[in-house]
Amino acid sequence: MEIETIKFSPFKDQRPGTSGLRKKTKYFMQEHYLESFIQAAINAVRLFNQGDYLQAPLVIGGDGRYYNDQAIQKIIKVALANGYQHIMVACTGVLSTPGTSAVIRTQKASGGFLLTASHNPGGMEHDFGIKYNIANGGPAPEKVTEAIYAQSKELTEYKVATVADVDINKIGETMFGSARVEVFDALVDYTKVLESLFDFEMLAAFFKNGFTMRFDAMHAATGPIAKHIIERILGAAPGTVVRANPLPDFGGLHPDPNQVHAKELMDLMWSGSAPMFGAASDGDGDRNMILGQKFFVSPGDSLAVIADQAASCIRGYSKGLSGVARSMPTSRAVDLVAKAQGLSCYETPTGWKYFGNLMDAGRCTVCGEESFGTGSDHVREKDGLWAVLCWLSILAKTKLSVAEIVQRHWRKYGRYYYQRHDHEGLALEPANEVIAKLRASLPSLVGQKLGAFTISAADDFSYTDPIDSSVSSKQGIRLICGEDERVVIRLSGTGTEGATMRIYYERFCARYEGAKVEDMLGDTVRATKELLKMKEMFGHDEPDVIT
Ligand code: G16
């Protein structure tokens, strides 16, 4: 195997965001760009690993978007040149993010490269992304992503093996000297992990007795595995899983499972022919949306219900949970469940990577985020299909409808009315200015009115990891009005164009009376937009997406 050293001028913009490096596909396709990131990641990994990690497998999978296959070939060649002895590539190149995490853990790999821009649209004109996951199966923590960035800024050369492309559409092995490239069946390890948690026989009987659902895989990475588990193993009717074939452009859709982008599923669930349960997952299969007939389950409620019901409805959690965690902007509904069950509840910054240490230390079992992510310590990524199987188990055990389960939950614990407003495509400068001004005014905001409530505390969230004591600051501005209300404002770390400002509104009512969420939050929404001078700064103040 010949190895070439390629020289180039370093790129200065390869700092991973909330979840890896995401850019426009065309930008990624420029000469040396992807190779630079791969080499920088490999160099950074070398700093944190001793011993023979090069002998352990390195896993590669992607969400199937445009450029997936070419990127896989590039990773294989750079990894071979850097001495990796066992490279494992998902057959067809498609493997969801939780699926990749499952393979890394099962195969005791040293880590893996995940090619995904998640829920962002795919194609030459859209987005591409890459991230590195460590040996626990989870996203590299900040100290590793910062090391990758530091490496990339100084990098002037990378190594590449001059070998032929590997056929990634055929299961098998190819040897390159002493190194092995293995193309593996992407369905096997992940199915086993899920099977160890869920009672597939009970769920199969549930479908046999007439339960109906629709799963929209949005032409993305979950399609093949969802068909395999829901239709083939659990016996749901053919056609239950739709848009199951991954496409490089996701069929021209935005593979984001929310009320706006999963419109076809929303329309079905609000129609006269709705099945009993509806669900969707995103580009790389880590996000999920849960629906009942004419009923949307907000991610915060979904997390709270799963945490509440796991021990009694899901075999893998029958011994109870060790604790729960949520990202700071996520609804505090799960905190009430934790309190009632005497569980620890952790509040982390946005980003699944912050849950890794807690799970590794056995401090929490179930975690979730407002951005349609829920998961547990079975892998180290959020897991859309896992959430769907949780809900199926709860539905099968309780024999209630989705709406009844959630309403019963609200009656028991009270309800956090919740909405996230995304203001997308904002010009960077004014967006940064709004945040900077707000940050500067925090001390003076305490005691001021925000709609009907008075601000009792205002801060910029800072997190000290309880395991390694690392500190992450400036993680989102919180305007807290006692126990009743909270507004969180932060800029997204996953966009590829301009700035996206996310504003999270939440209001608690101890007695659930079925009020409309818009009515409960309307005053605060208006007051917050005035406080931020949204119209003045951006010319308009209507959000692009409300979830
Ligand atoms: C990623 C992260 C999540 C985070 C989400 C939104 O999700 O893994 O932890 O909640 O981004 O981040 P932001 O608000 O900064 O855009 P995904 O599904 O895009 O990988």
Side-chain angles (χ1 to χ4, degrees):
M1 186 171 67
E2 263 185 45
I3 293 168
E4 249 187 284
T5 300
I6 312 283
K7 305 244 181 242
F8 69 104
S9 312
F11 295 99
K12 302 290 184 190
D13 63 352
Q14 297 201 324
R15 181 182 225 150
T18 310
S19 187
L21 184 67
R22 291 183 192 170
K23 302 268 179 216
K24 290 286 162 209
T25 311
K26 265 193 189 152
Y27 195 80
F28 252 109
M29 290 171 76
Q30 65 179 296
E31 205 178 13
H32 310 308
Y33 194 77
L34 185 65
E35 289 90 341
S36 158
F37 186 82
I38 302 162
Q39 185 68 61
I42 288 175
N43 291 356
V45 166
R46 202 172 287 142
L47 301 176
F48 292 95
N49 280 282
Q50 277 116 33
D52 54 1
Y53 71 96
L54 290 173
Q55 304 297 324
L58 174 76
V59 180
I60 309 172
D63 61 17
R65 69 181 59 225
Y66 185 83
Y67 200 48
N68 197 54
D69 292 4
Q70 287 118 293
I72 288 174
Q73 300 295 347
K74 285 179 192 273
I75 298 173
I76 293 174
K77 289 171 191 175
V78 177
L80 281 172
N82 279 277
Y84 280 88
Q85 292 297 298
H86 185 186
I87 298 166
M88 294 184 66
V89 184
C91 190
T92 72
V94 177
L95 182 57
S96 72
T97 289
T100 310
S101 186
V103 175
I104 293 174
R105 292 171 69 77
T106 306
Q107 300 295 333
K108 303 201 173 1
S110 63
F113 282 101
L114 287 74
L115 299 165
T116 173
S118 186
H119 52 289
N120 296 7
M124 181 76 138
E125 301 304 325
H126 294 290
D127 296 352
F128 191 78
I130 181 167
K131 66 174 181 168
Y132 181 78
N133 278 22
I134 58 174
N136 74 354
E142 222 164 58
K143 62 177 185 218
V144 179
T145 55
E146 283 302 302
I148 296 175
Y149 178 49
Q151 289 286 332
S152 70
K153 283 191 295 187
E154 306 298 326
L155 203 66
T156 53
E157 58 180 49
Y158 60 87
K159 287 187 184 151
V160 62
T162 47
V163 297
D165 281 0
V166 171
D167 182 356
I168 61 167
N169 291 312
K170 214 167 91 203
I171 290 169
E173 278 186 6
T174 314
M175 297 301 294
F176 295 99
S178 59
R180 162 161 72 113
V181 178
E182 177 188 350
V183 177
F184 66 94
D185 182 341
L187 303 182
V188 177
D189 285 342
Y190 184 36
T191 303
K192 277 194 197 139
V193 169
L194 293 175
E195 207 169 5
S196 70
L197 295 173
F198 298 99
D199 187 341
F200 279 3
E201 268 177 40
M202 189 258 295
L203 295 180
F206 191 43
F207 277 111
K208 208 168 180 191
N209 289 332
F211 184 76
T212 55
M213 77 172 282
R214 168 71 60 91
F215 183 101
D216 189 343
M218 303 189 99
H219 289 307
T222 311
I225 186 76
K227 259 228 169 315
H228 179 62
I229 293 184
I230 296 173
E231 293 188 10
R232 272 179 236 129
I233 299 181
L234 303 183
T240 296
V241 181
V242 297
R243 289 202 269 249
N245 56 324
L247 295 174
D249 67 346
F250 306 110
L253 299 168
H254 199 125
D256 196 357
N258 60 34
Q259 300 100 307
V260 176
H261 296 300
K263 186 172 181 312
E264 205 178 291
L265 180 67
M266 291 295 291
D267 289 348
L268 174 73
M269 295 308 293
W270 260 256
S271 75
S273 50
M276 295 161 177
F277 177 45
S281 58
D282 72 332
D284 61 329
D286 54 1
R287 297 181 175 212
N288 72 88
M289 177 169 70
I290 300 295
L291 301 169
Q293 288 172 336
K294 297 194 172 68
F295 197 87
F296 165 73
V297 185
S298 78
D301 285 331
S302 177
L303 171 65
V305 167
I306 291 173
D308 194 37
Q309 299 294 315
S312 54
C313 297
I314 307 169
R315 193 178 58 192
Y317 306 103
S318 57
K319 293 201 178 103
L321 310 178
S322 64
V324 295
R326 61 163 174 81
S327 65
M328 182 275 283
T330 303
S331 143
R332 292 170 289 177
V334 72
D335 301 28
L336 300 178
V337 175
K339 198 168 169 206
Q341 296 190 7
L343 299 171
S344 306
C345 179
Y346 297 89
E347 185 177 45
T348 62
T350 294
W352 203 261
K353 59 191 173 199
Y354 295 102
F355 296 136
N357 275 353
L358 296 171
M359 289 192 274
D360 285 352
R363 298 253 191 129
C364 74
T365 313
V366 167
C367 318
E369 293 190 280
E370 46 62 42
S371 55
F372 292 83
T374 7
S376 89
D377 60 0
H378 64 292
V379 289
R380 291 294 182 275
E381 289 279 4
K382 53 189 187 270
D383 188 343
L385 193 51
W386 171 88
V388 171
L389 291 168
C390 284
W391 271 92
L392 273 175
S393 306
I394 296 167
L395 289 161
K397 274 275 176 161
T398 60
K399 305 276 185 291
L400 298 172
S401 71
V402 172
E404 284 164 346
I405 289 168
V406 178
Q407 283 156 356
R408 186 181 68 165
H409 187 92
W410 289 336
R411 272 193 290 274
K412 182 172 169 192
Y413 289 104
R415 177 176 179 188
Y416 277 98
Y417 290 87
Y418 188 92
Q419 264 186 356
R420 180 179 102 179
H421 291 202
D422 294 338
H423 300 263
E424 296 176 346
L426 305 178
L428 267 176
E429 233 171 76
N432 287 330
E433 197 184 319
V434 168
I435 296 291
K437 276 195 180 148
L438 184 62
R439 198 170 268 143
S441 70
L442 287 176
S444 66
L445 288 177
V446 177
Q448 273 192 36
K449 281 270 185 203
L450 187 69
F453 296 91
T454 304
I455 299 175
S456 57
D459 67 3
D460 200 346
F461 182 62
S462 171
Y463 177 68
T464 304
D465 186 295
I467 313 301
D468 65 15
S469 302
S470 57
V471 177
S472 305
S473 49
K474 297 190 175 170
Q475 295 294 322
I477 292 171
R478 301 190 286 191
L479 307 178
I480 298 168
C481 305
E483 292 300 310
D484 300 316
E485 196 170 64
R486 186 182 71 157
V487 177
V488 174
I489 302 128
R490 59 181 281 280
L491 296 179
S492 157
T494 57
T496 56
E497 236 172 320
T500 294
M501 189 177 294
R502 304 204 196 285
I503 312 182
Y504 314 76
Y505 303 94
E506 176 180 57
R507 176 168 168 189
F508 180 63
C509 284
R511 262 183 64 156
Y512 165 62
E513 280 161 356
K516 276 193 172 159
V517 67
E518 304 79 37
D519 297 340
M520 296 301 283
L521 298 174
D523 275 355
T524 313
V525 170
R526 274 186 293 278
T528 305
K529 288 199 285 201
E530 271 168 33
L531 175 72
L532 302 182
K533 299 197 169 56
M534 294 294 279
K535 238 191 195 137
E536 210 174 289
M537 296 301 289
F538 305 111
H540 65 98
D541 65 359
E542 284 312 306
D544 299 273
V545 180
I546 297 180
T547 47

